[in-house]
Amino acid sequence: MPRSIRTKHLSGHIARPDDFTDHMAGVFAWPGIVEFDDILDEVYPMRASRKWPNRQLWAMKVCARLARGTVNAARAADRAGWDAARQAHFDTFGEWLPVEVPSAQVTDELYRRVAADADALQEMQARRLEVAVAQAKLYGWFDPAKPWDYTDPDESLTVIGDGTIIDEYSRIRFDPAGQVGRWGYQHTRASAPHRVRYQQMRRNPTKVPDHKGKDGINFISFYTWTPFGTVGFGSVAELGAEIDGAQPFIDALVAEIGEGFRFLDYDRVVTGWRRHRLMALYGVSAVNRENAASSVDHERARDYLERQARQIAATAGLTVEKATLEALMRTTARTLIEQDAPLPLGINLYATTAGYDAVNGKRYPYGTVTADAADHACEPELWADDGALWVVENGIKTARCTPRRSTAERLADGSFAQHTDWHVPCPHGGFDHHSVWYPQRTQRDSRRRDRRQRALDNIRVPSRRDPGFKAANQRNLSESVNQTAQTTTQHHGRASSPDGMVQTLDMLCVHHMIDAETHQRAVRAGAY
């Protein structure tokens, strides 16, 4: 099965009946749905006048993500899916649900009550994490006894993280002066102040240092990939820097999973001393790309590539115009990558699906190392550049050191140190070198480092050039989950409510939906 979320494509606002029936039955048969009964019953106590249990209402709200709206879900269920859902629920739990389909008003009332109770919502998120980890472990994931090596990340010991921004409910802006807008707001046609649909909880792209540049709420999600599909652990809303919301969730994941959590695939977010802390406290390796360095004392990678392209054109007697320069640079980059040509320190080229990626890498001196064998008189100078360890001669990277094995050692104070065996190439065939990285727990401690430890702080095992990194870089999977969250909103990518708590609950439904589909595949594959 390819690494993608195999959700059915929705036609209009209501899924095709056969597809919706299948998905709805899977949601009502998912064993994890019963784990939230006590929380829901406390928020919305059952009364004699109401025939539908909260479990049924909550499952209907999860199905509403598939139908893009509670009303659409009720109509689709009444038309096709309800008998199948009742039967699936009975086959799993031995309990019959009422024959009548719950109305959208009753379903939304439970939703509003949960969203209005911050403690209940937080408890549901914590319970969601427990249930998802148990489901992943049921498939054999996060086995603490399984052998592992940092040079070759194991996807069964890996957690994937990424953020996606759900666009704000409306473009209405608060106007404190009351001079431009109506009722103290801009861009609204509301006839009264209480009718203004203003989303107060939103991020400010001008103050958040990231590349997304969008309003709305950034929902940071964590999940893992199993043989039967994705298991989602939940989401957290963040208005500031992504790492501020991700760090507490990662700590909660470590506490829940335990020793079976060894790799975190979270691209360009868990960096710097946050990555050091992750290794020092938990022995978890962050498998991601390094952030590019600023051009202070060396040329930019694209400037270097442009100069190389112009030199090639000049040698061939060609005149390079602005329209053809990018194509020539792409060809030059591909040639340099295929030939594994030596590059100056700080210049890094990678092949991508779009052609190439020119990275202005961070560089740190590692020092000279000596071979242990008597017939080796080599003392190569090593540098760390863009997460990799290089042999450098006169400022040119001549060969890359390859990590052969990397493990963790728990020290007396409870922290972890990373031991790595390297193969250092040299004219005599190469030799082995052993390094020990002592990552620091806090940002302040990371500043007091000697030269070699400073270089090890910026070396990633595996680096972007190693085969192990390619196997662990599950960027396509994270984008697929993000797309699922975007396409299952009532209006593509736009929030269904101006209330940030309701949007958080919406994302919780997305993870319920994904885990129910994964459980459905596991049942059909005979995993139970």
Side-chain angles (χ1 to χ4, degrees):
M1 180 184 296
R3 289 176 177 170
S4 61
I5 305 302
R6 292 189 172 183
T7 54
K8 304 292 185 181
H9 294 287
L10 300 175
S11 177
H13 286 286
I14 302 180
R16 294 191 298 271
D18 293 342
D19 294 340
F20 187 82
T21 299
D22 187 41
H23 284 298
M24 189 173 187
V27 171
F28 277 83
W30 179 50
I33 202 73
V34 302
E35 299 296 334
F36 302 89
D37 287 352
D38 58 328
I39 303 175
L40 299 175
D41 291 342
E42 185 176 351
V43 174
Y44 194 18
M46 190 68 182
R47 296 180 180 178
S49 59
R50 179 161 58 93
K51 64 180 71 174
W52 300 288
N54 287 321
R55 182 194 308 172
Q56 180 180 356
L57 301 179
W58 176 246
M60 281 296 298
K61 198 60 183 179
V62 175
C63 294
R65 292 291 301 199
L66 296 169
R68 296 182 178 178
T70 310
V71 175
N72 295 330
R75 291 173 179 172
D78 189 35
R79 185 177 66 241
W82 185 235
D83 290 338
R86 291 181 70 243
Q87 185 64 51
H89 186 273
F90 178 80
D91 293 341
T92 304
F93 305 108
E95 301 176 9
W96 284 109
L97 295 174
V99 178
E100 296 84 358
V101 178
S103 65
Q105 291 77 12
V106 177
T107 303
D108 287 339
E109 178 61 25
L110 170 67
Y111 212 61
R112 282 191 293 269
R113 293 196 180 201
V114 175
D117 192 332
D119 294 335
L121 181 56
Q122 185 176 5
E123 190 174 354
M124 287 194 70
Q125 288 178 309
R127 189 76 55 85
R128 163 104 283 281
L129 175 60
E130 297 174 8
V131 172
V133 170
Q135 182 174 349
K137 288 185 176 181
L138 191 63
Y139 303 150
W141 250 229
F142 303 120
D143 182 4
K146 188 173 184 179
W148 50 271
D149 187 343
Y150 288 133
T151 62
D152 186 20
D154 190 334
E155 79 177 358
S156 69
L157 307 177
T158 301
V159 171
I160 308 166
D162 198 17
T164 182
I165 296 179
I166 302 299
D167 205 5
E168 57 187 337
Y169 180 81
S170 69
R171 301 299 182 190
I172 297 175
R173 294 289 184 268
F174 181 61
D175 182 19
Q179 298 177 356
V180 179
R182 188 179 188 185
W183 309 113
Y185 296 92
Q186 300 176 10
H187 315 301
T188 180
R189 297 180 180 179
S191 58
H194 69 277
R195 295 184 179 274
V196 178
R197 306 289 282 173
Y198 168 65
Q199 179 174 329
Q200 184 175 5
M201 186 177 177
R202 63 156 62 90
R203 68 200 296 270
N204 187 345
T206 62
K207 295 183 179 180
V208 181
D210 62 22
H211 63 281
K212 298 181 178 180
K214 293 176 62 178
D215 293 336
I217 301 176
N218 187 11
F219 286 98
I220 305 168
S221 301
F222 291 88
Y223 30 85
T224 189
W225 176 258
T226 73
F228 312 108
T230 301
V231 174
F233 300 120
S235 300
V236 60
E238 179 57 49
L239 303 181
E242 201 162 306
I243 185 62
D244 294 337
Q247 187 66 69
F249 206 116
I250 295 171
D251 295 340
L253 279 168
V254 173
E256 185 64 30
I257 296 174
E259 294 292 330
F261 181 13
R262 285 298 177 186
F263 303 97
L264 175 66
D265 192 339
Y266 201 147
D267 201 27
R268 288 177 175 170
V269 171
V270 184
T271 59
W273 72 271
R274 305 273 191 172
R275 184 176 69 90
H276 307 166
R277 175 184 178 275
L278 193 64
M279 175 62 74
L281 295 183
Y282 310 126
V284 175
S285 175
V287 184
N288 53 18
R289 293 177 291 180
E290 179 63 274
N291 287 327
S294 60
S295 180
V296 178
D297 58 348
H298 58 96
E299 60 190 336
R300 293 184 180 273
R302 280 188 58 85
D303 294 342
Y304 172 82
L305 188 59
E306 180 180 347
R307 191 172 70 253
Q308 293 296 314
R310 292 185 180 277
Q311 288 179 358
I312 294 175
T315 303
L318 302 176
T319 301
V320 180
E321 298 180 358
K322 185 176 182 181
T324 60
L325 178 60
E326 185 60 37
L328 182 58
M329 290 174 62
R330 187 161 47 249
T331 302
T332 304
R334 184 169 61 249
T335 302
L336 294 175
I337 293 171
E338 291 175 352
Q339 296 178 354
D340 197 16
L343 298 174
L345 268 174
I347 306 301
N348 297 273
L349 299 175
Y350 302 97
T352 64
T353 55
Y356 71 95
D357 189 12
V359 177
N360 207 35
K362 297 178 181 178
R363 54 181 185 172
Y364 298 89
Y366 184 87
T368 57
V369 294
T370 306
D372 295 332
D375 58 340
H376 278 55
C378 301
E379 291 187 1
E381 181 183 5
L382 305 185
W383 282 70
D385 184 6
D386 199 41
L389 187 61
W390 294 88
V391 176
V392 177
E393 295 182 7
N394 300 322
I396 303 297
K397 297 179 291 186
T398 59
R400 182 174 59 86
C401 304
T402 55
R404 291 185 169 179
R405 177 172 173 77
S406 184
T407 58
E409 174 196 5
R410 188 181 289 273
L411 304 177
D413 61 356
S415 63
F416 287 89
Q418 183 178 8
H419 292 255
T420 305
D421 295 325
W422 300 88
H423 176 72
V424 181
C426 72
H428 299 86
F431 58 92
D432 293 335
H433 172 67
H434 183 80
S435 67
V436 184
W437 177 40
Y438 298 97
Q440 300 301 300
R441 301 185 182 187
T442 64
Q443 182 180 15
R444 179 173 297 179
D445 290 343
S446 66
R447 297 171 184 170
R448 300 193 296 269
R449 314 289 280 163
D450 58 33
R451 183 174 67 173
R452 180 156 296 186
Q453 285 297 315
R454 183 66 173 169
L456 288 170
D457 286 344
N458 293 274
I459 291 176
R460 295 166 181 267
V461 179
S463 69
R464 190 174 176 181
R465 294 181 180 272
D466 294 322
F469 177 85
K470 296 178 182 178
N473 186 17
Q474 299 172 327
R475 183 69 180 175
N476 292 338
L477 175 60
S478 63
E479 293 299 336
S480 181
V481 175
N482 292 344
Q483 189 65 14
T484 300
Q486 297 277 346
T487 56
T488 54
T489 55
Q490 191 166 1
H491 301 282
H492 189 285
R494 186 172 293 278
S496 60
S497 169
D499 190 344
M501 304 294 283
V502 173
Q503 295 183 36
T504 302
L505 201 55
D506 283 342
M507 289 300 297
L508 198 64
C509 288
V510 172
H511 286 265
H512 276 61
M513 178 184 68
I514 291 174
D515 290 1
E517 292 175 353
T518 300
H519 170 72
Q520 214 174 6
R521 297 190 195 101
V523 171
R524 291 171 179 172
Y528 296 99

